[in-house]
Amino acid sequence: MELTKKIKKLLKEKNAVLMAHYYQIPEIQDIADYVGDSLELAQKAVDIDAKIILFCGVHFMAETAKIINPKTKVIIPDMEAGCSLADSCPAGEFKKFKEKYPKHKVISYINCTADIKTMTDVVCTSGNAIKIVESFPKDEKLIFAPDKNLGEYINRQTGRNMILWDGVCKVHDLLKNKAVVKLKAKNSKAKLLAHPECNAAVLELADFIGSTAQMLKYAKKSNSKKNIIASETGLLHQMKKDSPEKEFIVVPADETCSCNNCEYMKKNTLQKVYDCLKNEKPEIILDKNTIKKAKKPIKKMLKISRNLNLIK
Ligand code: 13P
Ligand code: SF4
């Protein structure tokens, strides 16, 4: 039997739900019960009523699902599927950093560990970051961690002066404005869609800046037949599915590479998905206290997002 069929059969037998981020390989996206960006997946995980969540994304995403749905067993195909942003912000160092600013509230980008979330007032994703920041009074002192590019973008958009942790997504930060300018010159009518994890020089050239789901929505609705994408390649699978008549060109990470894959997201393969489901491991294990503390800022984010109609 084909591996995809075997996975689907096992999902049913084990009362398991497969959740996948848009950066997963197309074969995984196509068999997932839910595909989404970080915000959509966090929101969806709240309502999952199954024995197992098989999370195909990276570690912090699976951890988030466990925090908001602790009764469900959460498994992940590869424990090594990390994230350069989460790795940039170790709990001990962040604790010391936070102590330097005792009057500041902390907004954490969801791309961080559960331990960082326990030291956070509100979590945000790229889909709601500006609104979450704006939900604080204008004069509130704020720390934003761990994505410096996203933090700088929010500071520019809102006129705030948040203190920023110095972390980057190594996939998006590598994209250079030179490569974008070259592509724009070759494709003069193309629109540039960029993820806010990109550096400021790239964002300055963008026609649209948004989270993964927001870029997908824009690409589907827009009249533009040619689109340049400053983000991860996995996104193109859904874009092409939604609009087969449109052309999507991904900004290359460097001269030798025509695509940018997140090495962590791409650790998951169909074979690992099958093995993980069959053996019900590796499993995300978190202690009760961490879950209790990390849940608060995530729930707060979901509440603010619901009130602002950003999610249902
Ligand atoms: P979003 O899913 O919020 O767009 O984030 C992109 C990303 O880099 C996930 O790791
Ligand atoms: Fe982390 Fe960037 Fe990979 Fe997303 S794309 S998981 S932010 S390294």
Side-chain angles (χ1 to χ4, degrees):
M1 201 194 295
E2 242 179 80
L3 205 46
T4 49
K5 283 192 183 141
K6 278 174 140 179
I7 295 169
K8 279 189 173 175
K9 189 167 171 266
L10 214 47
L11 282 167
K12 254 194 195 158
E13 282 168 15
K14 290 193 178 239
N15 185 16
V17 164
L18 199 166
M19 304 186 80
H21 190 271
Y22 285 116
Y23 293 176
Q24 292 296 290
I25 54 169
E27 295 84 345
I28 293 181
Q29 291 191 41
D30 288 345
I31 55 164
D33 295 293
Y34 302 103
V35 189
D37 71 354
S38 305
L39 180 59
E40 291 171 335
L41 291 170
Q43 182 206 1
K44 193 75 217 168
V46 181
D47 308 320
I48 298 284
D49 183 19
K51 202 176 141 250
I52 298 172
I53 292 176
L54 167 53
F55 205 107
C56 293
V58 290
H59 188 267
F60 77 82
M61 293 180 174
E63 222 178 38
T64 304
K66 182 69 189 174
I67 293 164
I68 47 188
N69 197 334
K71 284 192 193 122
T72 306
K73 184 173 197 173
V74 178
I75 53 174
I76 174 169
D78 192 326
M79 267 298 182
E80 301 295 310
C83 166
S84 69
L85 276 168
D87 292 350
S88 79
C89 197
E93 280 178 43
F94 185 71
K95 189 169 175 279
K96 281 187 209 149
F97 179 79
K98 195 184 156 186
E99 279 164 5
K100 286 202 275 182
Y101 306 100
K103 292 199 174 130
H104 286 60
K105 294 263 165 61
V106 176
I107 302 179
S108 292
Y109 189 35
I110 199 162
N111 298 40
C112 65
T113 61
D115 287 336
I116 298 297
K117 291 182 176 89
T118 65
M119 292 182 252
T120 294
D121 292 286
V122 192
V123 165
C124 73
T125 76
S126 55
N128 59 19
I130 290 180
K131 300 276 184 202
I132 295 284
V133 170
E134 283 177 335
S135 73
F136 285 88
K138 264 212 152 11
D139 56 353
E140 185 86 63
K141 290 178 167 40
L142 298 169
I143 291 174
F144 187 85
D147 190 345
K148 184 184 68 171
N149 286 343
L150 178 60
E152 282 174 354
Y153 170 66
I154 302 168
N155 275 346
R156 288 195 298 278
Q157 293 296 308
T158 61
R160 306 267 173 148
N161 188 22
M162 300 186 294
I163 306 279
L164 309 178
W165 181 264
D166 190 10
V168 290
C169 158
K170 65 182 189 189
V171 179
H172 289 90
D173 190 56
L174 260 185
L175 307 181
K176 297 284 173 277
N177 59 340
K178 249 186 167 177
V180 174
V181 170
K182 248 191 193 174
L183 273 180
K184 276 199 143 190
K186 259 201 222 161
N187 306 278
S188 58
K189 286 195 179 139
K191 292 264 187 260
L192 173 70
L193 284 65
H195 195 280
E197 287 172 8
C198 292
N199 58 64
V202 168
L203 293 181
E204 223 167 82
L205 300 168
D207 296 290
F208 179 77
I209 299 170
S211 73
T212 301
Q214 289 163 347
M215 277 195 277
L216 280 167
K217 206 168 159 193
Y218 180 92
K220 196 173 172 181
K221 280 199 173 167
S222 133
N223 294 326
S224 173
K225 291 271 175 271
K226 255 191 190 184
N227 300 279
I228 302 170
I229 311 299
S231 192
E232 213 268 358
T233 37
L235 192 52
L236 266 66
H237 179 57
Q238 189 60 44
M239 281 183 175
K240 284 179 186 161
K241 256 175 134 176
D242 287 343
S243 317
E245 76 290 0
K246 294 180 188 168
E247 193 181 340
F248 300 101
I249 312 160
V250 79
V251 178
D254 63 50
E255 302 281 312
T256 59
C257 161
S258 59
C259 61
N260 358 273
N261 286 314
C262 169
E263 63 182 280
Y264 310 103
M265 286 279 184
K266 297 301 192 279
K267 279 195 184 290
N268 298 333
T269 61
L270 278 180
Q271 187 62 51
K272 285 187 199 169
V273 170
Y274 176 73
D275 293 343
C276 160
L277 188 55
K278 189 168 164 241
N279 304 319
E280 298 187 19
K281 62 178 189 198
E283 183 183 355
I284 301 285
I285 308 280
L286 288 168
D287 64 79
K288 272 190 186 158
N289 198 32
T290 303
I291 290 182
K292 195 176 162 207
K293 282 192 187 158
K295 196 186 241 180
K296 263 192 190 168
I298 302 173
K299 283 205 133 187
K300 212 166 174 185
M301 166 186 84
L302 293 173
K303 192 175 171 198
I304 296 171
S305 304
R306 224 171 281 120
N307 288 344
L308 291 169
N309 285 326
L310 297 172
I311 55 173
K312 278 174 212 147

